Amino acid sequence: MKHSRWCRLLLACCLAPFMATAQHNSNLPADKWVDSVYKSLSKDQRIAQLIIVRAHSNKGADHVAAIANDIKRYNVGALCFFQGGPVRQANLTNYYQQLAKTPIMVTIDGEYGLGMRLDSVIKFPYQMTVGAVTDDALAYEMGQAVGRQHKRLGVHVNYAPVVDINNNPNNPVIGFRSFGEDKYKVARMGVAYMRGMQDAGIMASAKHFPGHGDVAVDSHLDLPVINKTVDQLQELELYPFKELIKAGVQSVMIGHLFVPSIDNTPHRGTSISKNAVTGLLRKQLGFNGLTFTDALEMKGVAKYFPGGTIAVEALIAGNDMLCLPESVPGTIKAVNEAIKKKRLGWNEIEAKVKRVLLAKYNLGLNHLSPVSTDHLTEDLNETTDQVREKIARQALTVVNLINPDGFRNEFFGRPLKGKKVAYVGFDDNGNTTLAQRLRDDLNADIYYIRYKDAVGKGGTVVKKVLEGRYDAVILGFHDIALRKGASNFGISATALQNWRQLNQKNAVTMVFGNPLSLANFCMAKSLVAAYEDDAVFQNVAADWLASKFNATGTLPVTVCNWKYGTGVLQKGSAVSYMQPIGDARFAAVDSIAEEGIKKKAYPGCVVLAAKDGNIVYHKAFGNYEYDTLNPTALNSIFDLASVTKVSATTVSVMKLYEEGKIDLKKKLEDYLPWTRKTSKAKLTLEDIILHQAGMVPFIAFYKATLNADGSVRSDLYRQAPSEGFTTQVARDLYIRNDYKDSIWKTILESPVVPPGKKYVYSDNDFWFLGRIVEAITKMPLEDYVQKTFYQPLYMTTTGYHPLERFPLNRIMPTEKETGFRNQLIQGTVHDEGAALGGGVAGHAGLFSDAYDLGKLYQMLLNGGELNGQRFLKWETIQYFAGYHSTISRRGYGFDKPEKDNATADDPYPSRYASAQTYGHTGFTGTCVWVDPRYNIVYIFLSNRVYPTRNNPRLGSLSIRGHIQDALYKALIPDL
């Protein structure tokens, strides 16, 4: 009977027409929509908006009816879905939304995607697997994929990422859910994962504040205690939360933890502590987003505050949303009683409810559409395996080798083709993808030892392998439990005894599971962490054994004597991009950067330095603007100004040059026929790229678009995009699309002095070079550099038109400009000419954060290769980065040190820069320099033009050069 009710209910869900849930104008602006919805609610319904109810799609009609009752009777604010199936959840979501007076916020705990909860959905990698990857672009890519997946199913909030630092290997509840033990890596990966989800339109939630990593008790069962001082928490546990808050995370989940240094009230967990939520999170860390409690049904707090009392305590503490309280009516009753007793006030409730409603509006709940079930499962799984394969490949970690210089045949050699190979799988199923690959690819002999086998039975296999005189023996550990527990990850003592006999000099042990289980293999001759145990990860392992790629992963946790960050980066492999631990060597760098802010050379900056392929320094200073509380973050995006010349145009010219499509000795008219019969036609590309073609340095194109009184011409501009006026110049300012023709006419008519005789740094040179790239490739410059460099290098922030990809608050403002655009320039290019040209030009228009920009220049320093991909030839880089002029210090496109730098009174760019150094500076306060002699990449990004370009302090104080000097001194003590 119940089963038939359930079937009828699901059928009704599918067939019911989807109606607008809130009877309010969905086109109202946010504040008016919030006020309208709030006023429509009774007092009890307002309280219910703060309640999240547990929901499953694998339970029967009684469960569905109970939730429907909570929605219809109380108007609960949110649901948290757990186990079930995607189509069933979609149907139930549609059904519940139809019943609701106010749109329901749908949440889920999907740390590694919907596959964590739902059948038929492939899970994404665990966070600890992602923590082994050195490139946070993959964390961002996974976050975006997870976000799109959630959005497709009608989920609005994902309780992820976990940014707890797993610094206690006995932690029973975090473990594989954490990015690892390194606070910098946890923060960096957490920010990237969060950004990916939120850029996909899903609210992320940093958890479990203030840090659940260093506990030995599961808060589902009891209240864990953390005996650390506030200073210790600030230094370690709180660091990732602070970074995610700076980066714009929209919500935080509060954990059930007893931290006496925060609140020593007996049994008062942080989730119900005003000191923790209001004092520490809100006031000290400045978080103003949404706060969720961890599940209030968990024994860590529920055992001490039964019934509705815990909900009251959570609200008094400062939380917004109550996750899974014991009962909806009990919670509403308890809150009303607390209001009567004046423990809570309606003004507090109103603020919380309006914060929740605003979040719903921002998540698009004012414009709800039903979740379509057509091809739903296929859509949810569309990109998962692609992401899994990328992460599996970059995570694979060579932990230990007999010879750290590389593989040698005497112990274990790759590739294995033509060798006699044995594979021993420690696996209870007796069938693995890796074994099949080795059998098919190498005709390997396959053996299995089951964990439940007695020592003697496994010993039979050991004897056969040892007597087989194999060139290489692969020992694969599979079926490893996620948590250690009493079973030691499921690895039996007898299996380990057999392994110790097989652990010979020509053997490699590959562990497909939680890297904490590597503690069983401290004596391994050669050890590889493969992290997860499915066909994708096993195929990647087989590819590595076949030398199809080199390992670049690093351990996310400390195991045996291998500290987190350990990983043998094999020759030809990718650079390890890791956020460094604080180092006293760089105190001078900190001081110079901070002094620049004090003297108002710039409001904010980011400094990055890499040595020998590792990031050794990466810090953010100051704020977006003076006298604000909007701090610069490591992933803040800057207008690169003239660094565009080398980061977009020059590298494009280099690629086309080595492909034989550009000849620097040829003339402009050879590539741009429309320049014929002008003074520019006979200019050689060599003179142009060396800035000695004789062109004027700068043309103020914008002046011709203004009236005599300085206002913009009405025939050329519109305040909103319209037909023929879609070229955005700034906020609420669009120029006629064909004005680009006027720009080129002005350039062509500008004067030219005799070429090759005088060095005149000119933006116009790179206007032409950008057009040449477009003419040859038949692609816009922005598309060509994305396809050729930025996308394959996973440079997620680098590109033109950042507002098309990122929210405004991610981008540093430049100038409060007067005389043309008359507004704060933020997210559109500062250079007026590039703005008039549509935001894309060969000389300006590029935006990036420091980390992504570093990938491009590390690739150049590596000789044209990164992450196993080749982008340019070493010879091409050497050619363009060398000196090429008798009248200037220039290379082809690149700026270089003065030729007499070693003896100059005013050395440029740094006293210690070698003659091999190349790079560029930018007008907005940016620079990048590569020194191949010392294997150093240095990047400085600032917004020194805020609030005005008429600020000479960055240059007069020589801040960029002094920081570069300090980095050289720190990294090369013998200088």
Side-chain angles (χ1 to χ4, degrees):
M1 182 69 179
K2 286 184 178 180
H3 182 72
S4 62
R5 280 180 61 206
W6 172 235
C7 292
R8 288 197 300 273
L9 180 59
L10 278 182
L11 183 60
C13 295
C14 296
L15 298 178
F18 198 86
M19 300 170 64
T21 53
Q23 305 302 313
H24 304 278
N25 186 348
S26 59
N27 294 317
L28 288 172
D31 56 342
K32 295 190 182 316
W33 187 87
V34 168
D35 286 341
S36 173
V37 175
Y38 181 80
K39 289 173 183 176
S40 74
L41 302 175
S42 69
K43 289 185 176 181
D44 283 358
Q45 289 173 336
R46 291 169 183 174
I47 295 170
Q49 279 297 295
L50 309 178
I51 297 175
I52 305 171
V53 176
R54 173 185 285 271
H56 293 252
S57 57
N58 64 345
K59 293 190 175 182
D62 290 345
H63 171 76
V64 174
I67 296 172
N69 180 66
D70 285 340
I71 294 170
K72 289 187 291 184
R73 186 171 181 180
Y74 304 108
N75 196 39
V76 292
L79 300 177
C80 181
F81 272 101
F82 286 85
Q83 280 68 31
V87 174
R88 286 170 288 166
Q89 180 168 319
N91 287 329
L92 285 172
T93 296
N94 291 340
Y95 173 61
Y96 294 145
Q97 292 286 18
Q98 182 192 0
L99 297 177
K101 175 182 179 180
T102 307
I104 296 171
M105 179 187 289
V106 178
T107 74
I108 201 165
D109 199 356
E111 295 161 14
Y112 38 94
L114 295 175
M116 179 175 172
R117 299 294 176 189
L118 304 180
D119 60 34
S120 311
V121 182
I122 303 166
K123 70 178 184 64
F124 285 89
Y126 303 124
Q127 285 191 193
M128 190 166 282
T129 304
V130 179
V133 172
T134 55
D135 188 352
D136 67 351
L138 273 184
Y140 178 87
E141 184 177 350
M142 176 171 147
Q144 270 204 319
V146 168
R148 288 193 296 267
Q149 191 185 63
H150 282 64
K151 200 171 184 69
R152 176 65 179 86
L153 190 58
V155 176
H156 310 111
V157 181
N158 185 17
Y159 297 131
V162 173
V163 290
D164 304 314
I165 299 167
N166 195 70
N167 52 339
N168 186 338
N170 297 316
N171 192 313
V173 67
I174 300 301
F176 67 94
R177 300 165 64 197
S178 166
F179 288 113
E181 190 177 342
D182 178 359
K183 70 175 184 179
Y184 298 104
K185 190 77 168 285
V186 171
R188 187 158 57 80
M189 290 299 180
V191 166
Y193 188 33
M194 174 272 291
R195 282 292 186 196
M197 281 192 290
Q198 292 189 173
D199 286 350
I202 296 299
M203 178 184 287
S205 187
K207 66 182 188 185
H208 307 81
F209 184 85
H212 209 307
D214 194 5
V215 302
V217 173
D218 187 344
S219 54
H220 291 84
L221 307 176
D222 208 340
L223 185 61
V225 179
I226 298 179
N227 286 309
K228 290 189 174 183
T229 67
V230 173
D231 286 345
Q232 288 173 321
L233 293 170
Q234 291 281 4
E235 178 65 21
L236 189 63
E237 277 82 1
L238 291 173
Y239 179 79
F241 290 99
K242 290 187 283 189
E243 291 301 304
L244 264 74
I245 290 168
K246 282 199 295 184
V249 68
Q250 293 171 0
S251 73
V252 171
M253 176 175 279
I254 318 298
H256 303 314
L257 305 161
F258 182 58
V259 188
S261 62
I262 296 176
D263 193 330
N264 60 9
T265 308
H267 311 307
R268 186 166 292 282
T270 45
S271 55
I272 54 173
S273 166
K274 192 167 187 176
N275 289 354
V277 182
T278 300
L280 180 57
L281 179 61
R282 292 286 192 199
K283 293 183 178 178
Q284 290 188 39
L285 301 189
F287 179 66
N288 56 14
L290 210 59
T291 54
F292 295 89
T293 68
D294 207 343
L296 295 177
E297 64 187 13
M298 291 165 64
K299 300 299 182 185
V301 285
K303 66 188 290 186
Y304 301 110
F305 296 89
T309 59
I310 191 172
V312 171
E313 297 298 324
L315 292 175
I316 291 172
N319 288 289
D320 296 315
M321 300 207 76
L322 306 168
C323 190
L324 313 186
E326 186 177 289
S327 85
V328 174
T331 298
I332 294 172
K333 180 180 178 182
V335 172
N336 276 317
E337 288 176 355
I339 292 171
K340 288 178 184 178
K341 294 176 181 179
K342 298 187 176 179
R343 296 189 68 212
L344 276 168
W346 274 113
N347 58 332
E348 297 172 79
I349 300 297
E350 179 178 350
K352 295 175 190 295
V353 175
K354 287 188 173 181
R355 192 180 290 124
V356 170
L357 292 174
L358 179 60
K360 289 184 177 185
Y361 184 93
N362 291 334
L363 289 167
L365 272 71
N366 60 318
H367 287 289
L368 274 176
S369 298
V371 180
S372 170
T373 57
D374 292 342
H375 310 292
L376 176 60
T377 304
E378 293 91 333
D379 292 346
L380 297 178
N381 291 327
E382 183 179 11
T383 62
T384 311
D385 277 342
Q386 297 171 29
V387 175
R388 287 184 64 77
E389 195 275 338
K390 289 179 182 179
I391 291 175
R393 190 170 292 261
Q394 288 201 31
L396 188 131
T397 306
V398 176
V399 181
N400 184 43
L401 295 174
I402 289 179
N403 184 337
D405 293 331
F407 286 97
R408 297 289 185 271
N409 288 336
E410 65 262 28
F411 63 96
F412 178 77
R414 297 183 312 151
L416 300 175
K417 199 76 173 174
K419 295 179 181 177
K420 187 179 181 183
V421 177
Y423 165 79
V424 181
F426 290 83
D427 175 77
D428 280 338
N429 296 316
N431 182 30
T432 65
T433 299
L434 178 59
Q436 188 63 49
R437 278 285 305 274
L438 294 173
R439 182 187 290 115
D440 293 345
D441 298 350
L442 303 171
N443 196 31
D445 293 334
I446 307 300
Y447 305 91
Y448 286 101
I449 296 176
R450 290 170 172 79
Y451 294 122
K452 58 189 176 184
D453 285 347
V455 174
K457 188 171 182 181
T460 303
V461 172
V462 172
K463 183 179 180 182
K464 289 181 180 178
V465 173
L466 295 180
E467 291 176 351
R469 298 183 178 276
Y470 290 100
D471 297 317
V473 178
I474 296 113
L475 308 174
F477 278 81
H478 305 272
D479 286 338
I480 293 173
L482 287 175
R483 295 184 174 92
K484 183 177 181 180
S487 67
N488 187 30
F489 300 99
I491 303 171
S492 66
T494 56
L496 289 173
Q497 189 171 337
N498 294 142
W499 169 78
R500 282 189 284 271
Q501 294 174 282
L502 291 166
N503 181 34
Q504 305 292 315
K505 66 179 181 180
N506 66 339
V508 60
T509 300
M510 307 189 77
V511 180
F512 295 87
N514 191 328
L516 291 168
S517 69
L518 296 176
N520 290 287
F521 310 104
C522 299
M523 302 306 294
K525 298 296 184 182
S526 298
L527 181 62
V528 174
Y531 296 98
E532 299 189 32
D533 193 20
D534 61 15
V536 171
F537 279 78
Q538 291 183 42
N539 273 314
V540 164
D543 287 346
W544 175 77
L545 289 166
S547 288
K548 291 185 178 180
F549 70 96
N550 284 322
T552 62
T554 60
L555 282 179
V557 288
T558 296
V559 185
C560 305
N561 291 322
W562 301 306
K563 187 173 174 60
Y564 64 82
T566 296
V568 178
L569 303 187
Q570 297 167 290
K571 292 178 180 179
S573 65
V575 60
S576 174
Y577 265 88
M578 296 187 62
Q579 172 69 9
I581 296 173
D583 192 325
R585 292 179 299 167
F586 302 110
V589 178
D590 294 351
S591 177
I592 297 165
E594 289 165 353
E595 186 69 11
I597 293 169
K598 290 177 184 176
K599 293 186 175 179
K600 295 203 169 182
Y602 43 81
C605 72
V606 173
V607 183
L608 181 147
K611 175 77 167 74
D612 299 325
N614 295 296
I615 291 184
V616 292
Y617 188 92
H618 190 193
K619 284 192 177 182
F621 299 87
N623 294 287
Y624 276 40
E625 304 172 57
Y626 296 113
D627 303 321
T628 70
L629 293 177
N630 187 9
T632 309
L634 293 179
N635 63 353
S636 293
I637 298 171
F638 290 78
D639 183 330
L640 299 184
S642 285
V643 173
T644 302
K645 291 183 173 78
V646 290
S647 303
T649 311
T650 298
V651 292
S652 298
V653 171
M654 291 164 71
K655 187 66 176 176
L656 297 172
Y657 168 85
E658 73 174 33
E659 291 175 345
K661 297 174 182 176
I662 278 183
D663 183 344
L664 297 181
K665 304 299 182 182
K666 285 192 173 183
K667 298 178 177 60
L668 201 56
E669 63 182 357
D670 295 325
Y671 297 98
L672 301 176
W674 45 270
T675 64
R676 290 171 186 163
K677 298 182 180 180
T678 74
S679 60
K680 312 297 185 299
K682 304 300 180 182
L683 300 178
T684 67
L685 270 60
E686 181 177 40
D687 281 336
I688 289 171
I689 203 167
L690 286 171
H691 293 282
Q692 56 190 43
M695 283 190 267
V696 296
F698 171 77
I699 300 173
F701 303 104
Y702 74 94
K703 290 184 177 180
T705 72
L706 304 179
N707 295 311
D709 62 358
S711 61
V712 296
R713 286 168 46 184
S714 59
D715 62 322
L716 292 179
Y717 289 99
R718 297 289 184 272
Q719 291 183 334
S722 59
E723 185 177 357
F725 292 82
T726 59
T727 301
Q728 186 174 17
V729 176
R731 185 185 68 253
D732 301 327
L733 191 63
Y734 297 82
I735 196 166
R736 202 169 68 198
N737 295 344
D738 62 3
Y739 191 74
K740 296 174 187 177
D741 297 338
S742 299
I743 292 175
W744 282 106
K745 183 175 184 294
T746 302
I747 293 174
L748 289 173
E749 293 175 351
S750 63
V752 176
V753 300
K757 304 295 184 183
K758 185 178 180 181
Y759 167 62
V760 179
Y761 179 78
S762 173
D763 287 343
N764 296 319
D765 292 322
F766 275 75
W767 275 98
F768 282 111
L769 289 172
R771 285 299 298 268
I772 288 172
V773 171
E774 293 180 336
I776 293 172
T777 64
K778 304 295 190 291
M779 296 171 66
L781 176 63
E782 61 179 320
D783 293 345
Y784 179 73
V785 288
Q786 278 288 344
K787 177 183 177 182
T788 308
F789 295 103
Y790 307 155
Q791 287 178 358
L793 283 167
Y794 299 105
M795 296 168 65
T796 56
T797 61
T798 312
Y800 295 88
H801 298 304
L803 288 176
E804 295 178 0
R805 298 172 291 125
F806 299 100
L808 186 68
N809 63 9
R810 182 83 181 272
I811 306 165
M812 297 289 286
T814 51
E815 186 174 16
K816 286 185 175 178
E817 188 196 79
T818 58
F820 172 32
R821 289 168 284 191
N822 297 306
Q823 60 179 270
L824 173 65
I825 306 301
Q826 185 175 12
T828 53
V829 60
H830 179 261
D831 182 272
E832 299 95 336
L836 292 171
V840 180
H843 71 289
L846 203 63
F847 289 74
S848 182
D849 68 12
Y851 178 76
D852 278 343
L853 193 62
K855 296 175 190 176
L856 181 70
Y857 289 93
Q858 188 64 51
M859 177 272 290
L860 295 176
L861 182 57
N862 288 354
E865 185 179 5
L866 192 70
N867 288 335
Q869 295 187 69
R870 177 153 297 280
F871 296 87
L872 292 166
K873 296 176 182 177
W874 177 85
E875 295 82 359
T876 303
I877 299 167
Q878 292 294 105
Y879 183 54
F880 274 73
Y883 290 108
H884 285 286
S885 176
T886 59
I887 59 175
S888 80
R889 63 174 187 256
R890 305 295 300 199
Y892 285 148
F894 293 107
D895 199 358
K896 290 186 62 64
E898 296 292 354
K899 294 176 181 177
D900 60 349
N901 213 39
T903 58
D905 293 332
D906 186 20
Y908 173 85
S910 163
R911 181 174 302 279
Y912 306 108
S914 76
Q916 300 173 42
T917 301
Y918 55 93
H920 217 283
T921 60
F923 184 77
T924 52
T926 59
C927 75
V928 57
W929 293 101
V930 177
D931 191 336
R933 178 180 177 184
Y934 298 112
N935 280 326
I936 291 174
V937 174
Y938 162 54
I939 293 172
F940 178 92
L941 302 180
S942 78
N943 56 340
R944 73 99 193 160
V945 293
Y946 179 90
T948 172
R949 70 186 67 191
N950 300 317
N951 176 6
R953 295 184 186 93
L954 181 67
S956 63
L957 295 172
S958 300
I959 289 171
R960 287 177 287 197
H962 287 163
I963 287 178
Q964 195 171 2
D965 288 346
L967 287 167
Y968 274 105
K969 290 178 183 177
L971 296 171
I972 310 162
D974 295 336
L975 279 178

